[in-house]
Amino acid sequence: MRTDPDPSRFRELMLDEEPGFEEVLACVFGVQEHEVRTYLVLRDHPGSTVAELADALDRDRSNVNRSLSTLREKGLARRERRLLDSGGHVYQYTATPADEARELMHETLDEWAAYVHERIDEFPED
């Protein structure tokens, strides 16, 4: 899982006097506002299904599904399969705990900063 923070979003973040957690999360992981909102709702409702999240977010299931896929790709959500007594199964989603997400944000930002430092070091000599 490689995340590439968007440099233009970093500019916006630096210009904001006091960016909130949501803005930092979106910037570092390159996710959209609706994906951040999905993550936050999922933190409050662990073990939710797509249908439950769609209701809580007042969004279409297909959109919630895409948000969850993105969050899973970024390491911000997990999916578990639960067998139903009536047969079949359902997927339940849980947000990555805050301490893990925070560590992942630090690691991602550190990797990006190292990349930028390498580009700076490649500047030609006068």
Side-chain angles (χ1 to χ4, degrees):
M1 167 214 49
R2 174 100 171 106
T3 46
D4 296 311
D6 181 351
S8 66
R9 291 179 106 170
F10 273 109
R11 267 185 241 105
E12 293 171 17
L13 199 61
M14 289 185 292
L15 293 175
D16 190 341
E17 287 186 28
E18 293 185 30
F21 173 77
E22 292 87 356
E23 290 87 10
V24 174
L25 184 76
C27 177
V28 171
F29 288 109
V31 296
Q32 302 298 315
E33 183 181 319
H34 62 89
E35 292 159 338
V36 171
R37 191 167 157 246
T38 301
Y39 173 77
L40 295 174
V41 169
L42 194 54
R43 281 185 54 190
D44 292 337
H45 301 91
S48 293
T49 64
V50 170
E52 292 166 341
L53 286 170
D55 287 342
L57 292 162
D58 193 28
R59 292 183 62 221
D60 183 75
R61 286 183 189 188
S62 62
N63 291 329
V64 171
N65 231 340
R66 280 192 293 278
S67 291
L68 288 168
S69 291
T70 299
L71 293 174
R72 289 179 58 225
E73 287 172 13
K74 305 291 183 175
L76 294 171
R78 297 182 177 105
R79 178 178 79 175
E80 290 185 19
R81 187 173 142 170
R82 185 186 76 184
L83 296 176
L84 301 172
D85 292 338
S86 59
H89 68 273
V90 66
Y91 288 110
Q92 293 179 296
Y93 295 85
T94 303
T96 299
D99 58 337
E100 287 180 41
R102 196 170 22 256
E103 183 62 30
L104 193 54
M105 290 171 73
H106 281 294
E107 290 171 6
T108 300
L109 191 55
D110 289 346
E111 287 176 18
W112 189 81
Y115 172 82
V116 170
H117 284 289
E118 288 173 12
R119 300 298 73 79
I120 291 169
D121 292 342
E122 291 172 357
F123 251 49
E125 298 289 326
D126 285 336

